[in-house]
Amino acid sequence: FHAEHKGRLPAEPARPLVPADLDSLLQGGAKNPLLGVLRAVGDQLSKLYPAPFESVGADRKADRLKAEHAVHRAVRSTAQVFGVSELEVFQAKKGGVQTALTDPLGVFVANDVVQRYNAREQRFLFGRAALALAYKTAITHRLGPAELADLLVQPLLASARVRPA
């Protein structure tokens, strides 16, 4: 059945996901006020927490993939489904597929991703990264829970305690 019908499916999605469809991809516990905070400030955190180019074996200039590169096109087409229009794609020596805190937000794609995974698996990995870019949650992969709480929750608590009279 699969072999007969796989050719009937479109190779590219017809339209981007609407916000309600995008929200349905989140786990129940992920839908909270902090997600709204991350969506508001997540792309600005690249100034405080620059992308870890050294740890994934990438160079900011030399390993940036051009828009016509096949991997860049695949990541971009997947990201557009999630509503992400601006992104950078970098070739990395290790790390699989990871989000990058760059300006604009980006994705690290390890050299072996294309050889190790088939097209559907690659698309899944690119989609997972694109969802993180859409919600601007790339910082959550970089910081531990305590550091993330210090970054996001402590300032909110402090501002709630200090109210003008």
Side-chain angles (χ1 to χ4, degrees):
F1 180 81
H2 175 70
E4 289 178 24
H5 293 90
K6 72 179 180 181
R8 294 183 187 178
L9 294 174
E12 297 295 322
R15 62 176 175 79
L17 295 172
V18 295
D21 292 341
L22 203 57
D23 286 344
S24 69
L25 296 173
L26 296 175
Q27 295 177 349
K31 298 174 188 176
N32 60 49
L34 288 180
L35 184 62
V37 172
L38 280 174
R39 284 189 91 169
V41 301
D43 56 344
Q44 301 302 312
L45 295 175
S46 64
K47 295 168 182 79
L48 293 172
Y49 300 95
F53 283 93
E54 301 82 32
S55 68
V56 295
D59 180 74
R60 180 179 278 283
K61 293 184 182 183
D63 292 323
R64 179 183 295 159
L65 298 178
K66 297 187 184 298
E68 59 271 2
H69 192 279
V71 172
H72 190 285
R73 281 193 318 244
V75 173
R76 186 179 61 237
S77 70
T78 304
Q80 287 174 341
V81 172
F82 290 88
V84 177
S85 57
E86 289 187 45
L87 75 148
E88 292 182 334
V89 181
F90 299 94
Q91 181 176 349
K93 291 182 180 40
K94 57 185 175 181
V97 177
Q98 300 179 27
T99 54
L101 283 170
T102 56
D103 188 21
L105 293 174
V107 177
F108 290 124
V109 180
N111 294 333
D112 66 341
V113 168
V114 176
Q115 288 96 19
R116 183 185 287 175
Y117 301 106
N118 66 39
R120 285 181 184 239
E121 292 168 328
Q122 289 174 30
R123 199 160 203 68
F124 172 81
L125 294 171
F126 298 155
R128 188 169 58 185
L131 184 64
L133 294 179
Y135 281 100
K136 300 176 183 162
T137 59
I139 191 69
T140 61
H141 303 285
R142 217 54 215 266
L143 300 179
E147 294 169 303
L148 199 55
D150 287 344
L151 175 68
L152 298 174
V153 177
Q154 295 301 332
L156 292 175
L157 293 175
S159 68
R161 281 188 221 124
V162 181
R163 293 194 177 156

